[in-house]
Amino acid sequence: MAAAGAPRDLDGWLAHWQSVHPQSIAMGLDRVAEVARRLRLEKPAPLSIAVAGTNGKGSVVAFLDAILRASGRVVGSYTSPHLLAYNERVRIDGEAVEDAELIAAFRRIENARDGIPLTYFESGTLAAFDVFQARDVDIAVLEVGMGGRLDAVNLVDADAAVLTTVDLDHQEFLGADREAIGFEKSGIFRRGRPAVIGDPQPPVSVLAQIAACGAVGVRAGIDFTIRDDNPAGWRFSQRDGTSMQLPPPGLRGDFQRANAAIAIATLHALRDRLPLAATAFARGVANAQIAGRLQVVAGAPETIVDVAHNPQAARTLAQWLSQAPRRTTTAVFSALADKDIAGIVDPLRGMIERWWAIGLSADTPRGLDAARMAERVAACGVDCIANDSIDSALGAARAHAGPAGRVLVFGSFYTVAAAMRTIGIRSS
């Protein structure tokens, strides 16, 4: 792109990257690896951690980031997708980077690619690496976008790799079952380096990949455990005898203790290169924050947003609801057309009195309109009403729940973001 025709603002650059490659998702590393080589971006920080998995990735990144920052390290974290602003994807010391930094990175990438087509995600990943290098961060915490083996984040030979959970999602790209998906996700493991497995029952393919590539497996329930029977706190223990008492996590839901434990086990595996004080773990666990995960955004009725958009996440959400105070609960929901809607709705049947479905067809080609989404939800045997307006759907759900009730807005990131904007939340 000639300099005279280059976009002038961040929105322009994002629109540009959406048009460069004919596909929004293109598996394979050859193209993006060549551009990274030209810009020398293969090592965005002296130390790096890659985090893959079906669910829990964002939470584990949040715990890693908070613990490392509590220790005084300068941390660059890369996550996707974003909720309210693209800048959320690239943070340094917990703060989203400025437009100018991303624009400068995109200009360098554009000049270096010399006609090589990059997807929106690939260009954004390279931009994050570029910003982290420019800002000289101590450690980069990198969330894998999808899969692992062929994801752009896998350009980096991470010093530690994390696999949170393995379940069914993105089957059209990753394979039809947990074994195939586990193989793809475990492609981020490296010889002689920690591979931290948070899934208590990982697919055989994951364990086989650890053995095949010579990674150092660190498994939940075997190499590290938690005791969470104390409401005032919980205990993390490592097989080598390391043990620490920790406060409740800053993120809601008892399941977040498992995510915090994954982060702690990862940092423990790097202790020779990255020594941390015990106080940093406690402060980081307590202070970790991430938007859109059981986040309370309004009261009377209590209104909660959550980006549960696959069956495993829905089961976790149902577990949280089963433990929450009983009250009238309504839902505003939508998900992309390629998601397992029945698998998402089934765990929540009987917990939600009435559903409102909104459409996403205006946001993405993978979205459905409200009527078709409502049909798919209602086919699962629940009471569901179609509503094209998030504002109207929220109003109806809140009125039905009443001041003492609960409104749950969940599903795709698009759904949660629309609700947050409607409520008046402008940044996360």
Side-chain angles (χ1 to χ4, degrees):
M1 176 184 294
R8 295 187 177 185
D9 58 19
L10 182 57
D11 286 342
W13 276 106
L14 297 177
H16 169 68
W17 293 120
Q18 287 176 323
S19 68
V20 165
H21 198 287
Q23 298 170 268
S24 59
I25 299 173
M27 307 296 277
L29 295 178
D30 291 346
R31 294 169 295 97
V32 67
E34 174 58 23
V35 181
R37 184 193 65 76
R38 294 174 184 180
L39 290 168
R40 299 182 180 178
L41 294 178
E42 299 96 331
K43 192 174 179 61
L47 281 171
S48 61
I49 299 171
V51 182
T54 304
N55 292 300
K57 293 180 294 184
S59 296
V60 170
V61 169
F63 284 118
L64 286 167
D65 179 85
I67 294 167
L68 288 164
R69 287 193 289 118
S71 75
R73 267 63 172 192
V74 178
V75 186
S77 62
Y78 174 56
T79 58
S80 64
H82 61 276
L83 275 171
L84 301 176
Y86 184 88
N87 312 58
E88 298 165 17
R89 297 182 180 219
V90 186
R91 296 180 182 269
I92 296 178
D93 279 348
E95 298 295 328
V97 301
E98 299 292 334
D99 286 10
E101 293 178 273
L102 291 168
I103 290 169
F106 283 142
R107 283 176 177 152
R108 286 189 283 271
I109 294 163
E110 179 64 24
N111 290 334
R113 73 181 182 91
D114 192 26
I116 294 175
L118 297 175
T119 67
Y120 179 90
F121 179 79
E122 290 166 346
S123 60
T125 301
L126 292 180
F129 295 175
D130 185 275
V131 171
F132 293 159
Q133 277 193 0
R135 292 280 291 271
D136 197 25
V137 302
D138 296 324
I139 185 165
V141 182
L142 310 171
E143 179 184 344
V144 172
M146 185 178 69
R149 183 174 65 93
L150 299 177
D151 187 273
V153 166
N154 203 31
L155 293 174
V156 176
D157 287 326
D159 297 279
V162 177
L163 179 51
T164 57
T165 60
V166 179
D167 210 89
L168 300 181
D169 203 5
H170 301 296
Q171 290 99 309
E172 67 274 31
F173 295 102
L174 304 180
D177 54 32
R178 290 183 76 237
E179 291 297 332
I181 293 169
F183 172 78
E184 292 296 332
K185 291 185 182 296
S186 57
I188 64 172
F189 301 160
R190 295 293 191 272
R191 178 172 299 278
R193 299 182 182 184
V196 182
I197 311 301
D199 196 312
Q201 295 181 311
V204 172
S205 60
V206 171
L207 304 180
Q209 182 67 6
I210 291 174
C213 77
V216 181
V218 181
R219 292 180 58 185
I222 297 176
D223 298 294
F224 64 97
T225 58
I226 61 174
R227 287 188 57 187
D228 57 359
D229 52 357
N230 180 0
W234 57 291
R235 179 167 291 278
F236 169 90
S237 299
Q238 195 85 18
R239 189 161 63 170
D240 66 3
T242 300
S243 181
M244 60 183 79
Q245 186 71 24
L246 294 156
L251 304 181
R252 298 182 82 193
D254 289 346
F255 60 90
Q256 291 293 0
R257 297 178 183 184
N259 287 328
I262 294 169
I264 295 169
T266 303
L267 296 173
H268 182 74
L270 292 172
R271 63 193 179 279
D272 290 343
R273 300 178 62 188
L274 190 67
L276 303 175
T279 53
F281 289 99
R283 289 202 306 272
V285 166
N287 293 334
Q289 295 294 322
I290 186 172
R293 277 70 168 181
L294 289 178
Q295 180 181 356
V296 178
V297 293
E302 179 184 59
T303 303
I304 298 169
V305 297
D306 192 83
V307 291
H309 59 268
N310 57 50
Q312 185 184 50
R315 293 193 296 270
T316 300
L317 180 56
Q319 179 185 8
W320 178 82
L321 278 173
S322 71
Q323 298 168 347
R326 293 180 63 86
R327 60 184 67 176
T328 299
T329 300
T330 61
V332 176
F333 169 78
S334 196
L336 299 177
D338 54 5
K339 297 300 179 181
D340 180 0
I341 302 301
I344 296 170
V345 174
D346 281 348
L348 294 158
R349 285 194 299 178
M351 296 184 173
I352 295 171
E353 186 170 298
R354 180 169 294 174
W355 300 60
W356 277 263
I358 62 170
L360 297 177
S361 54
D363 299 308
T364 170
R366 295 165 63 203
L368 294 175
D369 61 36
R372 286 190 292 169
M373 179 56 62
E375 286 176 5
R376 291 182 63 177
V377 174
C380 301
V382 301
D383 182 3
C384 185
I385 300 168
N387 200 313
D388 285 317
S389 162
I390 182 66
D391 184 63
S392 178
L394 267 175
R398 288 170 65 85
H400 186 89
R406 176 187 298 119
V407 177
L408 181 63
V409 183
F410 77 105
S412 76
F413 277 72
Y414 294 105
T415 308
V416 169
M420 293 173 75
R421 291 190 184 99
T422 297
I423 290 167
I425 299 172
R426 298 304 176 198
S427 64
S428 62

